[in-house]
Each structure stands twice: as C-alpha cells, then as structure tokens.
C-alpha cells in the first residue's frame, strides 16, 4: 500500500511540474499576466514605461529589464528569460538570428532613430583633416550602416553593391585617408575625445545628452529603412499579452509622445 501511495504521489508531483512548465504566461499576485521585455534605456525603456499604465488596465504587468548592449537582449529572449525585447532595427535582428540560428522575429515596427555623425573637435564635416579618425559601431549591421552614412556625406566611397554588410575592407575611394576605428556602439559617445568624428546611433547619443537634431553634423535621412522593432520568439505572435503590447506601442498616443518628446531625434515608424 505504501508503495502504491508513493507511486501516486510521484505521478502527481510530475504532473504538476509538467503543467507548470507548459504555460507561456506567468500570473502576478494581482492576477495580471506578467510580460518581461528587455530594452535599452533611451528611448525604448521610456516608451515602454509610457504604455505600462495602459497595459496594466488591460491585465498585463509589464516588467522592463534594461540592457546596455546589443547582444544580451537577444540571447535572453532566445533563452526564454524574457518574453520580448525592444532595442534593435530589422536588419540587425535578421542578421543576428541568421548567424546564431535563433528563431527570433519581428512583432511590430515602432520608430526610427536616424544615425548621425558627431564631433567634439570640429563644427562641420568641411573641417575633416587628412588622416582623420572616425569611430563607427563594431557590430556588423550598424557598422555597415555607418559606412553607408559616411558615403552619403561624401567622405568615402564603397564598393558597388554593398549595403548593410559593408566593412572597412569595402572602401574603394578614401581621398582623406580616413582611419576607421571600430568601437562597441554603447561606448561611442564616451570615446568621442579620442577620435575626430563618431558615427553614433541616436539612442546612445541621447543617453549621452547629445541632441541628434542640434548636435549631429550629418544625419541619416528620415526615410531610413532601419525601423526599431519589438522582437519575439517565432511562434509567440498570437500571445494576447504580446498583441496588447504591439497595439499600445503603435497607438496615436505613442506617436504623439514620440513627436513631442524627441522632436525629430526619434521618428514614428507607423
């Protein structure tokens, strides 16, 4: 009899464990569905904090986990430590997912952060000296994007046909003998004094109290294809709490908030 009871107890415990692991939603103490979203601080976490009260009314407890780099948020999403992330543009997400064989996809486009060229030493690109050092992000897609921006500013020329995957090795014409210095994107604002110019993503520029509209010497066109998106795991597209998040982040209220808060440094993509 004792053996039978022991077996029954073991089966019951196993069943409870399986039931607990099978669900995709976590309930908070207030009965709300917990939704963990990783984000870089500006403007992503700010936008998430803006919609947090609305989501709470809809039964979603939005928990924002801040990251300071471009790698960990995707690793955490793939490892199911978070439910979504909000920090990257589409080409970066697609390249990251392809290289690491991760089933990460776009939930919705939210905004565009035009990339800009900054300097603490010069007031215009016309002052560019021979042999100038220009810092760009060291991750593949943003590095290529930065090189394309330098080409748009007529500072160099890239090999025909290269786009987002461009590298310094693709430079075919460099009349000023520019030296390209590759630095982690988040560290670019701090290293500005060590180079002549820096190509910086708007989110990191704003974190460093740089105004992309006023301080940038040359800015990416507003029709940029690099829309920042909410990323999720493939197969989670129809989770109700994620659908609520997508709807909240693309609402008229968020569009107005972006336009009034960032004044052109961040542009709605919807």
């Amino acid at each position: 009899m004792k053996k039978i009871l022991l077996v029954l107890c073991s089966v019951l415990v196993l069943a409870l464990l399986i039931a607990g692991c099978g669900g995709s939603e976590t309930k908070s103490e207030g009965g709300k569905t917990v939704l963990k979203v990783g984000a870089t601080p500006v403007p992503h976490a700010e936008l998430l904090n803006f919609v947090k009260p609305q989501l709470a009314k809809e039964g979603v407890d939005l928990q924002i986990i801040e990251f300071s780099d471009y790698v960990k948020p995707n690793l955490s999403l793939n490892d199911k430590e978070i439910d979504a992330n909000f920090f990257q543009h589409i080409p970066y997400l697609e390249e990251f997912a392809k290289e690491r064989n991760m089933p990460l996809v776009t939930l919705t486009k939210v905004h565009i952060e035009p990339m800009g060229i900054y300097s603490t030493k010069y007031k215009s690109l016309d002052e560019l000296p021979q042999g100038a050092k220009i810092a760009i992000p060291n991750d593949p897609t943003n590095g290529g994007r930065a090189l394309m921006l330098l080409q748009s500013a007529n500072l160099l020329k890239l090999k025909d046909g290269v786009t987002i995957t461009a590298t310094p090795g693709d430079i075919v014409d460099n009349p000023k003998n520019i030296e390209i210095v590759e630095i982690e994107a988040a560290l670019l604002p701090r290293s500005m004094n060590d180079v002549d110019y820096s190509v910086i993503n708007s989110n990191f520029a704003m974190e460093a109290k740089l105004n992309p509209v006023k301080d940038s010497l040359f800015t990416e066109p507003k029709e940029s294809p690099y829309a920042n998106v909410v990323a999720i795991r493939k197969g989670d597209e129809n989770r109700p709490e994620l659908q609520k998040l997508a709807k909240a982040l693309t609402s008229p209220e968020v569009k107005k908030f972006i336009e009034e808060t960032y004044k052109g440094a961040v542009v709605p993509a919807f």
Side-chain angles (χ1 to χ4, degrees):
M1 186 66 180
K2 287 183 180 179
K3 289 184 177 179
I4 294 174
L5 287 174
L6 184 60
V7 170
L8 288 174
C9 287
S10 299
V11 171
L12 179 60
V13 169
L14 181 60
L16 289 172
L17 286 172
I18 292 172
C21 295
S24 61
E25 298 181 355
T26 303
K27 297 292 184 180
S28 67
E29 291 184 1
K32 293 184 174 66
T33 299
V34 172
L35 183 63
K36 295 181 179 180
V37 181
T40 44
V42 182
H44 307 85
E46 292 177 345
L47 293 173
L48 290 171
N49 275 305
F50 180 77
V51 301
K52 185 172 182 174
Q54 178 58 40
L55 289 172
K57 293 177 183 178
E58 298 177 24
V60 178
D61 177 13
L62 177 61
Q63 296 183 4
I64 304 162
I65 295 88
E66 292 195 7
F67 292 88
S68 60
D69 73 292
Y70 283 171
V71 176
K72 290 180 182 177
N74 279 335
L75 298 180
S76 293
L77 177 58
N78 184 67
D79 293 341
K80 298 186 179 181
E81 296 170 349
I82 55 178
D83 301 293
N85 67 43
F86 180 32
F87 76 98
Q88 63 197 318
H89 55 62
I90 294 173
Y92 181 85
L93 170 63
E94 291 178 345
E95 188 71 16
F96 192 103
K98 179 182 177 182
E99 283 186 356
R100 305 200 182 212
N101 194 29
M102 292 181 175
L104 307 182
V105 296
T106 294
L107 176 65
T108 188
K109 298 178 182 178
V110 181
H111 68 274
I112 295 168
E113 299 169 14
M115 185 176 267
I117 304 174
Y118 300 82
S119 178
T120 57
K121 299 178 181 179
Y122 303 101
K123 294 183 179 180
S124 76
L125 296 182
D126 294 335
E127 300 176 51
L128 182 80
Q130 281 285 337
K133 291 183 178 181
I134 300 183
I136 67 171
N138 69 352
D139 59 276
T141 54
N142 280 303
R145 179 184 179 187
L147 290 170
M148 291 174 66
L149 181 62
L150 293 174
Q151 179 174 251
S152 297
N154 297 316
L155 300 183
L156 51 78
K157 181 174 174 52
L158 298 170
K159 189 186 303 180
D160 290 341
V162 299
T163 54
I164 190 66
T165 58
T167 69
D170 293 314
I171 299 173
V172 294
D173 188 20
N174 187 1
K176 290 278 192 175
N177 294 312
I178 294 167
E179 179 184 345
I180 299 298
V181 181
E182 296 178 279
I183 297 174
E184 186 178 341
L187 301 179
L188 283 165
R190 300 182 213 170
S191 63
M192 287 178 66
N193 291 332
D194 299 325
V195 295
D196 296 293
Y197 296 87
S198 296
V199 185
I200 307 175
N201 298 75
S202 282
N203 61 318
F204 291 126
M206 289 186 289
E207 284 179 38
K209 307 304 179 185
L210 292 169
N211 184 318
V213 176
K214 295 180 180 179
D215 298 327
S216 175
L217 304 180
F218 189 86
T219 308
E220 209 169 34
K222 290 185 178 180
E223 57 270 18
S224 163
Y226 302 100
N228 276 229
V229 299
V230 174
I232 59 172
R233 293 182 295 275
K234 189 174 182 179
D236 283 353
E237 292 89 343
N238 295 322
R239 283 174 55 180
E241 65 274 27
L242 287 171
Q243 286 296 315
K244 290 176 182 178
L245 174 66
K247 184 177 179 180
L249 284 172
T250 55
S251 67
E253 292 79 13
V254 167
K255 184 176 183 179
K256 183 179 179 182
F257 177 80
I258 290 173
E259 292 171 342
E260 292 182 350
T261 303
Y262 303 111
K263 303 184 186 304
V266 177
V267 183
F270 57 91

